[in-house]
Amino acid sequence: DAGVTQSPTHLIKTRGQHVTLRCSPISGHKSVSWYQQVLGQGPQFIFQYYEKEERGRGNFPDRFSARQFPNYSSELNVNALLLGDSALYLCASNGGTGVANEKLFFGSGTQLSVL
Amino acid sequence: AQSVTQLGSHVSVSEGALVLLRCNYSSSVPPYLFWYVQYPNQGLQLLLKYTSAATLVKGINGFEAEFKKSETSFHLTKPSAHMSDAAEYFCAVSWANFGNEKLTFGTGTRLTIIP
């Protein structure tokens, strides 16, 4: 079975541009979460979606938005890119059963570089 | 604010030696605890998780961790290091409510294995 897949794997943008990152969860998983991992730091929670509804939002500006589609795939959008948005963006999925310590499965990430 | 602290951003051990990676959390309420491993250019893989069923948790690849409530710690150990253990290790906690599996990660510890 395919794991969590993210596209593209690498992306280079310039300041002020907009970017869309995509994520396909493991088949059968209904919950998708997004994390930002800046070089040398641990991942930081951005969003969680379940059944197309936002379940959680981290401490990120409104330039960051996301959505989930009926097939449970998800997009993360970032507007007005800043140099500080350069990071590895990780997508994770799980069944969304509501069990508090349910295992998250992570994709390999999209490496975004903002010049 | 609830947080996770990993002591030591870099740890080096000889092949065959004991691995000890430290993690402390700050919370008056015991959280759900996890250890993840990240190999270069890859996403995060769950090593083990604390489920409150037992304070000593065994994970994959010979790793284990012990939850100590009195010390608010969840240190990761492995009796004998292998070269393949070289990677970045992240401790994470969740105080998830139903359906919100937000993880808060530590800053990570890079483990180097000396031949």
Side-chain angles (χ1 to χ4, degrees):
Chain A
D1 287 339
V4 178
T5 57
Q6 294 186 242
S7 63
T9 56
H10 295 82
L11 202 53
I12 299 175
K13 292 286 189 178
T14 56
R15 282 180 298 174
Q17 284 188 312
H18 163 272
V19 69
T20 297
L21 311 181
R22 296 177 174 83
C23 172
S24 293
I26 291 173
S27 177
H29 283 187
K30 299 180 179 180
S31 175
V32 170
S33 300
W34 288 94
Y35 288 79
Q36 180 197 63
Q37 186 178 15
V38 174
L39 188 64
Q41 297 183 21
Q44 277 199 294
F45 174 77
I46 310 176
F47 287 110
Q48 184 193 3
Y49 275 79
Y50 175 74
E51 293 281 14
K52 297 178 289 181
E53 291 192 0
E54 183 183 299
R55 262 189 179 168
R57 173 187 284 258
N59 188 23
F60 280 81
D62 291 343
R63 299 185 295 107
F64 288 76
S65 63
R67 57 179 175 169
Q68 187 178 32
F69 299 99
N71 66 354
Y72 304 113
S73 67
S74 178
E75 285 183 352
L76 175 70
N77 295 283
V78 187
N79 292 323
L81 285 167
L82 303 174
L83 296 179
D85 295 330
S86 296
L88 179 68
Y89 288 84
L90 295 165
C91 175
S93 76
N94 63 11
T97 62
V99 175
N101 59 0
E102 185 181 354
K103 179 179 177 179
L104 281 178
F105 294 82
F106 283 85
S108 297
T110 293
Q111 184 66 55
L112 173 65
S113 298
V114 181
L115 306 179
Chain B
Q2 296 151 334
S3 64
V4 182
T5 302
Q6 290 186 240
L7 293 176
S9 57
H10 292 85
V11 171
S12 296
V13 300
S14 298
E15 190 175 15
L18 172 71
V19 175
L20 171 60
L21 304 182
R22 299 177 186 274
C23 173
N24 288 86
Y25 64 91
S26 64
S27 174
S28 58
V29 177
Y32 299 97
L33 295 153
F34 308 80
W35 275 98
Y36 281 84
V37 61
Q38 187 176 35
Y39 297 100
N41 302 315
Q42 294 188 27
L44 298 162
Q45 180 182 7
L46 181 68
L47 279 176
L48 49 82
K49 63 180 181 180
Y50 169 66
T51 62
S52 76
T55 57
L56 184 62
V57 182
K58 294 186 182 299
I60 62 172
N61 301 340
F63 284 94
E64 61 182 36
E66 186 173 8
F67 172 68
K68 292 186 176 181
K69 182 179 177 180
S70 61
E71 299 177 6
T72 61
S73 69
F74 191 57
H75 301 330
L76 182 71
T77 60
K78 182 174 181 178
S80 176
H82 286 183
M83 295 300 296
S84 60
D85 294 328
E88 187 95 23
Y89 291 80
F90 293 94
C91 180
V93 298
S94 171
W95 290 272
N97 296 317
F98 178 84
N100 179 0
E101 292 95 33
K102 170 188 173 182
L103 289 175
T104 298
F105 286 88
T107 52
T109 297
R110 182 169 298 279
L111 177 64
T112 300
I113 310 299
I114 304 167

